[in-house]
Amino acid sequence: MSTGAPIISLRHAAFGYAESAIVRDVSLDIFPSEVVALLGPNGSGKSTLVKGLLGLSDHLGGEVRLFGTPRARFHDHARLGYVPQRHTLSSSVRASVEEIVAVGRLSHHRWWKPVRRTSEDSGIIARALDVVGLADRAHEDVSRLSGGQQRRVLIARALASQPDVLLMDEPTAGVDAANQEVLAEVLARLAARGTTMVVVTHELEALAGVLTRIVAVQAGRVAFDGPPGAFTPYAGEAAPHAAHHHDDEPSEGEGGRAPALPGSGPLDPRAGAHHG
């Protein structure tokens, strides 16, 4: 177990919507440099838990502290990088990859001043694209990318805000097996840099070498919290059995992603790679 002050600390916390608790009585600490998988069946509340940390679901009870500050008084939102499952980078978006990633820098500019990209911004954006293997796609129209590549654009956008922790909701869901391997490699790069990550996932196998800890949620409560090696006896009970979609919201058909394009980036799957 890591030592020092936790980045995220929950004590008997409850989250939900419209006064209806989906997650209840959760006590949990996330420490710097941990890579934590948040696992559970559909409907278990794992996405609601992450959204509760972000203020996107209602905090209905218990104590929530972010970087030592009570959630209600926490305003330094750039320290929390969020990668949603359902990306909005559809064919209707007319923007380059670099322009999408640059959105991550907005939290570092005063809202009342015109946004002018600085040399520091440009350097941070370039490094974020390099980490996810899309540096050579910076000026490409994002709508031309495959679903897996678009997911990596969203990770780069979150990294551009220079967060202290990344919260990812199903980063490998809805993409083929080759792109799952690519995304797992991106997460491994981030882990090697000491990036703290909380990953809602169904793809434990894809992330096997990256995770330091598993937290399994069942019926809105933590059913297991420990190292990956100790999770095996519980896997049959806590692992999901349904299709890959959000556990607390209706599915939007993640499988309907943009068709895969021939990859030319350093991390893109090779032509002819097996697609699951």
Side-chain angles (χ1 to χ4, degrees), residues 56-79:
L56 300 177
S57 65
D58 297 331
H59 177 201
L60 300 177
E63 181 180 299
V64 179
R65 287 183 174 270
L66 303 174
F67 306 97
T69 302
R71 181 69 186 81
R73 300 207 305 267
F74 181 80
H75 302 295
D76 194 0
H77 301 293
R79 300 185 74 180

Side-chain angles (χ1 to χ4, degrees), residues 163-175:
D164 290 306
V165 59
L166 275 179
L167 304 170
M168 303 187 188
D169 199 351
E170 297 282 9
T172 58
V175 296

Side-chain angles (χ1 to χ4, degrees), residues 192-214:
R193 289 158 45 123
T195 304
T196 308
M197 290 180 273
V198 177
V199 186
V200 175
T201 184
H202 287 88
E203 309 291 349
L204 279 183
E205 185 175 350
L207 302 180
V210 179
L211 300 175
T212 61
R213 182 174 159 202
I214 291 174

Side-chain angles (χ1 to χ4, degrees), residues 76-79 102-110 160-162:
D76 194 0
H77 301 293
R79 300 185 74 180
V103 172
R105 297 301 302 157
L106 293 179
S107 60
H108 293 271
H109 292 270
R110 303 294 185 183
S161 71
Q162 296 181 294

